[in-house]
Structure formats: structure tokens, C-alpha cells
Amino acid sequence: MTTNRRFDLDWLRVISVFAVFVHHVCMPFNGDDFHIMNSESSKLLDDVMVYFEQFRLPLLFFVSGVGTIFAFSKRTWLQFIKERSFRLLIPLIFGMVVLIPPQTFFEFYEEFNFNISSYFKLLSQLKVNHLWFIENLFWMSLCSIPFILFLKSSKGERVVMKITQSSSKYGLFSWCIILVLLRIVSKYYFPSDSKSILNVSSTLYYSFYFMAGLLIASSNNLWNLILSNRRKYFSLALFFTVLFYFYYLLPSSVLSPYFSVSQRWSIWYLTCSLVSWSVLLTVLGYGYKHLNSRSFLLTKLNEAVYPFYMLHQTVIVIIGYFIIQLNISILSKTLLLFCSSLVVIMIVYRHAIYLFKWMRFLFGMKTKN
């Protein structure tokens, strides 16, 4: 079981959260449904974003699964529940009460006035918004306790050894078969795109990556497989990327005479899963090779990444509400929103969170010595 600090995974966590930030900066301009929307949208931007959506969050859930193994290795299961509650549940509740209402306010700006009654009206509409990841991670962490205890047992070690032997024979990419079946079947019965923990298709999909993180973190041999096959995974990722865009850009009229709508969606989920798993293995392999080293910058970024995630969408929505009303190009608005949001988040983090013990606690940070 992996117990030593893996700096490459810290880097991938930081990169994943920054990718989420960039994604949400672009959301008002890609034509999808977001809390604030520009009057014009960019089809090219949407075409690029749809690709990165396939592995941006799966990578974050995978890294979180590995991190869960690290967190559990130092604690009893009761201590683990306490740690998860302090690190996830309390920041989630704080975020829902303090950080989410401003998003709702600017989303429905015309319906509210600047007074105390408006705030209570916002509180009555409690939402998780982007904090759904923290909610999902909390429940996944608790539900994984029996599985982690099993992995630490002698019987669990034998099961991990058999999985490792099977993966050595057939390749880690073969795990994608489970992912594809899980995705297609769950989407057939639960087609909603909601990220709610109650949406079975979404929860099962992200749980696959979380559980994969738990399993791979339990075997150094599985890590070595990822490292040694990284070039193969890269080739697969390139191939499936071409396949992904071929299917994505193919007019529906070409396939509609031969496949039903349901069947075309199943092909889409198959294609997305192949891209997701191949890119994830590629990133893990090359990350392990080139990013597994300590640095001062990484220490500071890793400390800031959690409050950065909690803050980012609220800041983007507030600033973006005013930027989308400017009479400038989409590119100019996007760059302006990116730069201004990043600066504001850094200022708030450094001067309102980092220095204060109680704010660090509310944002899930460790107490500063």
C-alpha cells in the first residue's frame, strides 16, 4: 500500500483544480447553461471544452481516492470520520451558507434587492453548486471505509495481488470495460446530467475513478505498470481523441438511419469513456515520471488549492456578471475574467483566509503552526 508522499499527485491535484477554474471562467461564453451567460457564445470554445470535460473531474476524483488511502493510513476509522467531517463537511456547510448565496443572487439579479430579507430568501434556496464535488467526496469517503479496511486485511491483500496479476496480463486499460458498462447502463436508467449525489449515473461514474484511486494506491506494482506503459497509454489517448472528435463532429443525419437516439448516446458514452481512461492513465504515468519531486512552490500551491476551489466560482460569477455586459469581444471578456478573478481569489486567500485560524478551519485547511 502506498504510504510515502507522492508529490506528482499533489501537482495533479493542483493542476486539476486550476483546470476547473479555467473551465468555469469559459462557461459564460460557450453557450451552455451557467449561472451567468454572455449574449454571444463561441462554438469553437465549446468544442474544445467538451474534450477536457472527459478527464478533468475524473482525474480529480482519482487523486482524491489516492488521498483517501493516505488519510486513512494514519488513523483509525473513527478518527478518519472525524477528519473527513472537519475537512469536508464543515467547509461544505460554510460554503452553502456563505459562498453559494452570492452566486444565486447574481444569477437571478432582477429578482432580489440589496437587503437582509433577500439574503434569507437566498438561504431558503440552499444549493451546493460547484461544491457538489465536496459533497460527493464526503459521502464516497465514508462509504469506502469498509472497502479500505478490507484492502488492509490479509484477504484484501490477496485480492489486490490477483487484480495486479490480471492487470499485468491484460493491461490496466482493460479496466475501461467496467467503466464503459457502468456508464452506458447507468445512463440508460438514470439519464440526468445532475451532479447530485442522488443521481445514480453521475455518482457511479465518479465513484469508479475514486475506487480506482483506492485500488491503485494499494499496490506499488500497479503504479509501476502505469509508469512502464505510459507511452502505450499516450498512443491510445491520441487514437481515442481522434475517434472522439470524429464522432462528435459527425452530423447526426449520417447515423440516424442506422442507430436509434439511445444507441447513438451509448456510442457517445463509449467514446467518452475511452478518452477519459486513456488520458487519465497517460497523465498518471508521465506525472509519476516527471513530477514526483518536492518543491517550495508545490507546498504553497497545495496548501491553497482547497480554499481556491471553494472561492473560485463565486468570484467568477460576481465579476463575470459585470464583464459580460461590456461591449468587447468574447476573447477579451474571457481573458479579463480570468485575470481579474485570479487576482481577487489570491488577495482574498492571502489576506482573509491564510492568516486567520478560524478561517482556515472553515475552508478545510490545516491549522498553521
Side-chain angles (χ1 to χ4, degrees):
M1 183 173 289
T2 304
T3 55
N4 296 326
R5 187 82 186 187
R6 287 282 302 277
F7 300 107
D8 56 315
L9 297 174
D10 288 337
W11 272 117
L12 292 180
R13 181 186 298 108
V14 169
I15 293 170
S16 297
V17 170
F18 188 73
V20 171
F21 166 74
V22 174
H23 175 83
H24 286 147
V25 165
C26 295
M27 280 295 290
F29 312 106
N30 74 339
D32 284 347
D33 186 25
F34 192 56
H35 304 284
I36 53 169
M37 293 302 299
N38 194 52
S39 57
E40 298 177 335
S41 62
S42 168
K43 181 66 168 61
L44 176 60
L45 181 62
D46 188 47
D47 293 343
V48 173
M49 290 175 65
V50 73
Y51 175 72
F52 287 93
E53 285 176 0
Q54 307 313 317
F55 50 85
R56 176 175 47 83
L57 287 172
L59 177 60
L60 195 53
F61 273 101
F62 179 92
V63 172
S64 298
V66 178
T68 299
I69 287 290
F70 284 129
F72 202 101
S73 65
K74 306 172 184 176
R75 301 171 176 85
T76 66
W77 66 272
L78 282 174
Q79 291 171 332
F80 176 75
I81 293 176
K82 181 180 178 181
E83 188 268 348
R84 293 288 90 176
S85 297
F86 282 144
R87 293 270 288 167
L88 298 174
L89 186 59
I90 290 176
L92 174 63
I93 295 172
F94 169 75
M96 291 174 64
V97 173
V98 176
L99 300 179
I100 301 303
Q103 296 181 33
T104 307
F105 178 86
F106 282 95
E107 182 177 4
F108 304 103
Y109 184 83
E110 293 76 11
E111 300 179 17
F112 294 101
N113 298 311
F114 285 102
N115 56 54
I116 193 66
S117 63
S118 297
Y119 180 74
F120 286 115
K121 184 178 179 181
L122 291 169
L123 283 181
S124 68
Q125 304 173 18
L126 277 182
K127 301 177 181 179
V128 293
N129 286 12
H130 69 292
L131 301 182
W132 70 267
F133 169 75
I134 299 176
E135 179 189 25
N136 277 245
L137 186 56
F138 175 73
W139 290 115
M140 287 180 189
S141 299
L142 296 194
C143 292
S144 68
I145 291 176
F147 183 65
I148 298 175
L149 291 174
F150 171 75
L151 291 176
K152 295 173 70 174
S153 68
S154 56
K155 187 175 181 180
E157 290 176 354
R158 290 195 295 271
V159 169
V160 171
M161 186 178 299
K162 290 181 179 179
I163 292 174
T164 303
Q165 292 170 348
S166 175
S167 298
S168 299
K169 183 177 181 180
Y170 300 106
L172 264 171
F173 191 76
S174 63
W175 291 22
C176 193
I177 296 173
I178 300 173
L179 174 62
V180 169
L181 292 175
L182 196 67
R183 189 62 168 160
I184 292 176
V185 173
S186 64
K187 270 293 189 179
Y188 180 81
Y189 290 102
F190 304 95
S192 172
D193 289 327
S194 168
K195 298 300 191 298
S196 168
I197 190 71
L198 300 178
N199 180 21
V200 176
S201 60
S202 173
T203 300
L204 287 178
Y205 178 66
Y206 292 115
S207 292
F208 171 85
Y209 297 98
F210 181 81
M211 298 295 285
L214 296 179
L215 270 174
I216 292 177
S218 302
S219 171
N220 289 327
N221 289 329
L222 289 175
W223 280 120
N224 291 331
L225 275 177
I226 294 175
L227 179 64
S228 60
N229 289 285
R230 64 189 184 280
R231 293 183 181 87
K232 183 189 299 183
Y233 300 142
F234 178 65
S235 298
L236 287 171
L238 288 178
F239 174 76
F240 290 129
T241 296
V242 173
L243 183 66
F244 173 87
Y245 271 112
F246 174 79
Y247 187 75
Y248 175 75
L249 297 173
L250 191 68
S252 58
S253 58
V254 175
L255 294 176
S256 56
Y258 310 100
F259 300 98
S260 66
V261 173
S262 177
Q263 290 171 332
R264 296 202 300 274
W265 274 113
S266 294
I267 297 173
W268 172 247
Y269 297 136
L270 166 66
T271 308
C272 292
S273 298
L274 292 172
V275 167
S276 175
W277 189 239
S278 60
V279 172
L280 185 140
L281 291 176
T282 301
V283 171
L284 291 174
Y286 281 96
Y288 193 5
K289 177 68 175 177
H290 299 290
L291 297 177
N292 194 17
S293 58
R294 184 195 299 269
S295 74
F296 176 78
L297 176 62
L298 176 60
T299 301
K300 292 300 181 182
L301 291 176
N302 200 43
E303 184 179 25
V305 70
Y306 195 10
F308 182 92
Y309 175 81
M310 291 182 63
L311 285 170
H312 83 276
Q313 185 164 294
T314 299
V315 173
I316 288 171
V317 169
I318 294 175
I319 297 178
Y321 176 83
F322 299 99
I323 288 180
I324 62 175
Q325 300 179 52
L326 300 177
N327 188 25
I328 55 179
S329 68
I330 289 179
L331 178 60
S332 299
K333 290 180 180 180
T334 305
L335 292 175
L336 180 59
L337 181 57
F338 173 87
C339 294
S340 57
S341 297
L342 188 60
V343 169
V344 169
I345 293 170
M346 291 170 63
I347 292 174
V348 172
Y349 167 72
R350 189 63 182 85
H351 296 287
I353 301 174
Y354 179 78
L355 299 174
F356 304 100
K357 184 177 180 179
W358 61 278
M359 286 295 284
R360 294 175 68 93
F361 173 73
L362 291 174
F363 278 87
M365 298 177 67
K366 294 179 180 179
T367 303
K368 194 176 187 298
N369 294 327

